[in-house]
Amino acid sequence: MAPQTLALRGGTAEDHKGVLLVASYCNLQDQLTDAQECGGLCLKTADGHELQSFNSICRYIASCSPKCKQLLGDTQIDRALVQDWLSFRNTELPGLLEAQMLKVDKRLQTKVFLAGLSVSLADLVMFATLYRALANIPSAQRRDRYPNLFRWFDFMQHTIDPAGHYRRIDIRKPRFQRAPAAPPATPKPEKTKASDSKASTSSATAQKLPASTGPTQAPVKTKADSTAAAQTSETSSTAAGAAAEAAPAVHAEPNGAAATPPKQDASSKKEKKKEGKAAPAASKKAGDEPTVDMLDIRVGRIIKVEQHPNADSLYVEEIDLGEDKPRQVVSGLVKFVPADQMQNRRVVVVTNLKPAKMRDVMSYGMVLCASNDAHDEVEPILPPEDVPVGEKIMFEGYGAEPEAQLNPKKKIFEKISPDLRTYADGVAQYKSAPFMTSKGPVVSKLTNAAIK
């Protein structure tokens, strides 16, 4: 339920305008009083509590709105994404430097909304935060400098600010070039039917022949005619024989009935139908590009770790993944992480790899780790502390069910892994989609590192 009064005071002009934008979008502008005093930003709620940061004030206003569920996230992954963007604003965007703007542009490459399928608090807060920096960029550079960022920004300024708290920024869009019309197709001449041709030929021949007035006399055959006829007959017989040999065998029917092909067995017909149906599916599957949702990646906790009996560089771990019993996993982390730091460590595990024997010990999964280019620093990527064990890692835009077990011959993980990385903020990502849990993204202290 909406509070009766919200008293806003202090802070910068940009902060005030951002709070007003959120309140206006939430239809709570009438409950907000703006004292515009000097000092730090503060919102006094109806029950007397004071909130003193921009993010917490905006989150509180959103929670009082009828649009609360939409703004704060309708699903666990949407709520985690909203929180991720708010944290990103605090930690990465205070200076709004070139490198930071390029990072935002890259994250927006595949997004219409920052979280979910509609406007969220993340969109409102990021719009208010980025407005001044984007408005100061010369208009001729806007489209080419940060194309993804300005695409998103232009959509937002026409969507979330009907009250006009922010002056519209002119963003020149590429002009649509209509392709030239294709020339009209030349009509093809109609083909003359063979029967018409034969009929006209017969008619012409009949017109040339003189009318018969008496009984027709048989032509007298000469010796040369007889020889030619014999040669023609012989040639026709030879051609007919060759055609008969080349043609498939046909059973002759008695009483002059037409010949019919042999009947096919019912089972062979069914097999042919199955083959015909299976062929398109197989070709489609073969052409599909492997994506991260084919992997079953889950949060786990190492409850026991021992040195591998036959390999100095390997650990044998017992990992709690929320299953009936812990899962045994072999990892090559002895050189990088001491055993005492592995114990009780929270990790992220690929659980649908085919079990493999590693130096005579079976491994039933793989702990995902970040590694620098020199491969002299390796550490398991870290899920948030409060995520329950067994929770599946989600990726925005990739929601298919994972494979029950990956076929090692298809090299699916090997094809996906080049797109698994941490970026400058340490967030683990597949392409531009973060490794998300219900409590936020998976991270690592190793930035710009490969994940394997």
Side-chain angles (χ1 to χ4, degrees), residues 264-280:
Q264 292 183 351
D265 186 42
S267 60
S268 64
K269 287 183 179 179
K270 289 181 180 178
E271 287 176 2
K272 287 187 176 181
K273 284 184 179 179
K274 287 181 181 178
E275 290 172 3
K277 289 180 181 178

Side-chain angles (χ1 to χ4, degrees), residues 306-312 314-316 330 334 358-361:
E306 294 179 343
Q307 181 77 41
H308 192 292
N310 304 323
D312 294 338
L314 301 179
Y315 284 130
V316 180
V330 178
V334 171
M358 301 181 70
R359 301 292 294 271
D360 299 326
V361 176

Side-chain angles (χ1 to χ4, degrees), residues 3-8 23 28 30-34 43-46 57 60-61 64:
Q4 294 180 352
T5 56
L6 295 171
L8 181 68
L28 298 178
D30 294 338
Q31 283 77 35
L32 188 67
T33 60
D34 187 2
L43 179 75
K44 188 173 183 179
T45 65
I57 291 171
Y60 177 79
I61 294 173
C64 297

